[in-house]
Amino acid sequence: SLSPYHIEPSPLNRSGAANGILTGGNLSLTCALLGSKSDVDTRGKILFVEEVGEKLYRIDRMMGTLKRAGKLSALSGLLIGGLNEMVKGEPDFGHSAVDIIKSVVNEYSYPVAFEFPAGHFPENFPLIMGRKVRLEVGEKVLLRFVEKE
């Protein structure tokens, strides 16, 4: 059994607690699967998203696409991993990847944890997609894998 992950909180986080099946992964690939037989059902789930080397206007477009596809409205929680090597573009898009994500999910009330150490960098915590987890976002961020029932 995996030990729970205790992570220092980001000031960007939105507090709360949630249970759900962990799903998601790379933002570009999650968007590319929309409408296919591999499309991800996010209802009641905890969505994990990470990205590397992407232009910020594309982050904005992909997050907007997920929102319009109904993939963000019924989440139990949102876990944001590495957003590494983002490309501002010319002219500068004017918003960071974090700003974009915060804006897109602002109307929802589920907990959001930014800067989770999973994605494209050396400290990369393993995540088990399809596994039930407990996410607690507060003075610390706790991600606990729940034993199978």
Side-chain angles (χ1 to χ4, degrees):
S1 167
L2 282 175
S3 297
Y5 298 142
H6 297 271
I7 309 299
E8 288 302 313
S10 165
L12 307 163
N13 289 351
R14 183 163 59 209
S15 296
N19 295 309
I21 301 294
L22 188 61
T23 192
N26 178 269
L27 179 59
S28 298
L29 294 177
T30 301
C31 283
L33 296 174
L34 289 173
S36 76
K37 65 181 180 180
S38 301
D39 195 350
V40 178
D41 178 5
T42 61
R43 292 170 297 182
K45 306 241 173 90
I46 295 176
L47 179 64
F48 169 73
V49 174
E50 62 83 28
E51 189 56 82
V52 63
E54 193 58 82
K55 291 184 178 176
L56 291 169
Y57 77 87
R58 291 184 184 160
I59 299 292
D60 184 62
R61 182 181 349 172
M62 289 184 284
M63 288 302 298
T65 297
L66 288 180
K67 185 172 190 169
R68 287 187 302 280
K71 299 297 181 180
L72 303 176
S73 61
L75 292 178
S76 179
L78 181 60
L79 192 60
I80 306 297
L83 299 170
N84 303 77
E85 302 169 30
M86 296 292 107
V87 180
K88 288 182 182 178
E90 290 296 329
D92 185 346
F93 187 71
H95 301 284
S96 71
V98 166
D99 291 339
I100 293 164
I101 293 168
K102 280 189 73 161
S103 174
V104 169
V105 302
N106 189 49
E107 68 192 74
Y108 309 123
S109 60
Y110 46 75
V112 181
F114 286 91
E115 301 174 4
F116 190 84
H120 292 85
F121 41 66
E123 185 179 36
N124 190 358
F125 287 35
L127 296 175
I128 305 170
M129 297 299 150
R131 186 79 178 268
K132 188 173 182 182
V133 295
R134 169 84 175 164
L135 173 64
E136 296 177 11
V137 182
E139 291 182 10
K140 291 260 188 200
V141 173
L142 168 79
L143 184 71
R144 182 169 50 87
F145 293 90
V146 178
E147 292 300 319
K148 293 179 182 172
E149 292 148 22

